[in-house]
Amino acid sequence: MQKMTLSAARRTAIAATGLDRARPSQVTARHLKSTFDRMGLTQIDSVSRVVRAHYLPYFSRLGPYPREALDRLFYSAPRMGVEYWAHAAAFVPPETWRHFERSRAEWWRNDFGQRHPETGPAFRALQESVLVVLGSGPKSARAVADLVDHEIPERNRGHWGWNPSQVKIALESLFAGGIISAAGRNDHFERIYALPGDVSPDLPSTELSYGTDSHPELGLDPEAQRPRGVSGTADNVLELTRIAARALGIARPDCLADYFRQRRAPTDEAITSLISSGELIEVDVDGTRALKWHAAKTPRTVAARALLAPFDPLVFYRPRIEWLFDFRYRIEIYTPAKDRVHGYYVLPFLLGERLVGRVDLHRDRAANTLRALKVTWEPGQEHEEDLAAELCEMAKWLSLDAVDMAGTHLPLS
């Protein structure tokens, strides 16, 4: 088994995700496409404390770029990516979407409310009605609700969480099952649901199918309930594991499974196949068994400098960055204010081959200022000039007038 130091593993990981490269002087659509291809996915999140999360990984790697250019690539034909529950909500290439057959089948068999003995038939009728409404074109959940008739109670007001409407639940179940897709997002960042053919010709249409034999008390048959054409083959898991391995460069088995939220057992089988084919190489990283993508580069040094979104592929699997970078990280938006250690919306700061600090970042729209409310450095790591330069570049990208770093005003040069 090959041996590798933690330092070399870090440099391999940084290079694989594209953070080791010099930023271009002018970002083109080609740069955005190659970055997306290198990462294999872009996670989506509704929090807009700085900017919507899916924009940040591209800035981290490329520097300032026109966000509308990324919008066009995701929302205009031919689409670079489509939405699915790939790693939470994420954009993936249409060809990758096809490899989630297993996930779509499992979602469909166990989806929201379809098994309920009282509302099951009514809920399935609602799903049928929703599909009819979407036949006239893409729509938000609110627009669909205005056009569809249903008798199920609209909301469970006693629920502690989001209290989604039944129409929303029906739409989400169809989305998870791959029967409908998302054509985009509106100004409130709500999904615009659509039939697959209205999103991309590369997305196959899937028919709604129910069965009634195996579980007559619930009115469904788990196998017949699988959307037609969905097989959940090992080949799909193999391809998703291959994409993850290439995107990560160096990983433990659990890291590969997490990248597309795959189960460990089929992922381990895929890993065995990729080792046999020579695509994955077993390495010993200072005593830890890991797997290196056969084409992954290990540069001697990396000159990375980037603030990373909490959902950036380098850091979204926290056990991996604790292993590689000795960096324990929480975003803390779900932590009560009195219990927060580093702040509300905390971005790791990558410098060279280390995660050297954390920045609680806020885009103050009223003051047109980017505020680093709190900066916490790792022991022995204080790089205020580098952080200030990165904050100023981000502020200009966001068309802001000023930067405030922990109470210190920074001029935008």
Side-chain angles (χ1 to χ4, degrees):
M1 184 182 296
Q2 294 184 12
K3 292 188 178 293
M4 178 179 277
T5 65
L6 263 176
S7 173
R10 284 194 295 269
R11 285 179 270 123
T12 303
I14 292 167
T17 197
L19 283 161
D20 65 318
R21 301 182 171 196
R23 292 171 174 174
S25 57
Q26 183 174 357
V27 178
T28 66
R30 184 176 180 179
H31 291 112
L32 295 169
K33 288 178 180 179
S34 63
T35 299
F36 183 57
D37 180 64
R38 180 179 290 271
M39 295 188 296
L41 59 75
T42 300
Q43 190 172 337
I44 302 167
D45 189 78
S46 61
V47 176
S48 188
R49 181 78 166 181
V50 179
V51 67
R52 298 291 184 192
H54 65 281
Y55 292 116
L56 281 169
Y58 297 88
F59 174 80
S60 299
R61 289 155 179 79
L62 300 171
Y65 70 94
R67 296 195 297 281
E68 59 272 17
L70 189 64
D71 291 339
R72 284 194 296 271
L73 291 172
F74 280 136
Y75 297 132
S76 300
R79 292 173 186 254
M80 178 175 75
V82 295
E83 277 199 49
Y84 192 62
W85 294 107
H87 181 102
F91 290 109
V92 293
E95 56 270 24
T96 300
W97 182 92
R98 291 172 174 266
H99 294 298
F100 285 95
E101 291 176 340
R102 181 192 299 270
S103 299
R104 291 196 293 272
E106 291 175 354
W107 272 103
W108 186 245
R109 286 199 301 271
N110 303 294
D111 82 75
F112 318 81
Q114 222 168 259
R115 290 180 175 271
H116 196 287
E118 295 177 2
T119 64
F123 186 76
R124 294 195 293 276
L126 175 59
Q127 289 178 314
E128 296 276 9
S129 298
V130 163
L131 287 175
V132 171
V133 169
L134 290 179
S136 63
K139 294 174 180 64
S140 68
R142 296 181 190 185
V144 171
D146 290 339
L147 296 172
V148 72
D149 294 327
H150 60 96
E151 298 179 357
I152 304 175
E154 183 61 16
R155 297 175 190 266
N156 175 10
R157 296 293 183 182
H159 190 271
W160 67 270
W162 298 105
N163 297 317
S165 70
Q166 288 295 317
V167 168
K168 175 69 171 177
I169 294 173
L171 287 162
E172 282 297 308
S173 68
L174 294 167
F175 176 78
I179 296 161
I180 64 174
S181 187
R185 299 271 180 157
N186 63 17
D187 291 342
H188 302 288
F189 210 61
E190 298 168 328
R191 278 197 185 101
I192 305 299
Y193 299 92
L195 300 181
D198 290 334
V199 175
S200 171
D202 297 320
L203 300 187
S205 296
T206 307
E207 297 180 23
L208 196 60
S209 177
Y210 304 105
T212 58
D213 296 333
S214 296
H215 294 277
E217 75 281 4
L218 299 183
L220 24 114
D221 174 344
E223 287 306 310
Q225 196 185 6
R226 174 182 293 174
R228 293 174 190 164
V230 171
S231 59
T233 66
D235 288 344
N236 291 317
V237 179
L238 178 66
E239 185 57 30
L240 290 174
T241 306
R242 179 180 283 121
I243 295 168
R246 184 176 64 243
L248 291 173
I250 185 80
R252 300 179 310 200
D254 60 311
C255 309
L256 293 174
D258 176 80
Y259 205 75
F260 288 113
R261 298 287 171 87
Q262 299 294 294
R263 293 182 178 179
R264 272 298 302 272
T267 301
D268 287 344
E269 292 177 9
I271 288 170
T272 299
S273 296
L274 293 171
I275 292 173
S276 297
S277 68
E279 292 171 89
L280 278 177
I281 300 167
E282 294 184 279
V283 295
D284 181 313
V285 180
D286 285 358
T288 297
R289 174 183 176 261
L291 302 152
K292 179 177 176 287
W293 181 244
H294 70 103
K297 306 296 184 183
T298 304
R300 291 186 178 182
T301 61
V302 290
R305 190 194 76 190
L307 285 162
L308 302 175
F311 314 104
D312 189 287
L314 184 67
V315 300
F316 62 33
Y317 186 52
R318 312 306 194 218
R320 181 171 184 254
I321 61 168
E322 187 168 350
W323 161 52
L324 283 177
F325 294 91
D326 191 25
F327 190 87
R328 300 192 68 178
Y329 172 50
R330 294 180 68 185
I331 182 176
E332 297 193 272
I333 58 176
Y334 302 113
T335 303
K338 63 182 180 61
D339 298 326
R340 290 178 195 140
V341 177
H342 302 294
Y344 177 79
Y345 195 73
V346 180
L347 280 66
F349 183 44
L350 175 68
L351 190 65
E353 66 175 66
R354 299 306 299 258
L355 293 170
V356 299
R358 300 164 172 82
V359 183
D360 180 16
L361 204 57
H362 172 48
R363 180 185 180 185
D364 186 339
R365 290 169 173 81
N368 214 33
T369 297
L370 184 63
R371 299 190 186 281
L373 300 174
K374 183 176 182 179
V375 179
T376 307
W377 298 107
E378 291 292 278
Q381 301 284 344
E382 292 190 11
H383 302 273
E384 292 187 355
E385 289 187 6
D386 292 293
L387 177 57
E390 187 68 7
L391 289 169
C392 288
E393 190 165 6
M394 181 180 285
K396 287 185 283 188
W397 172 58
L398 296 172
S399 300
L400 301 176
D401 294 335
V403 170
D404 184 285
M405 190 170 80
T408 301
H409 179 79
L410 303 178
L412 297 186
S413 56

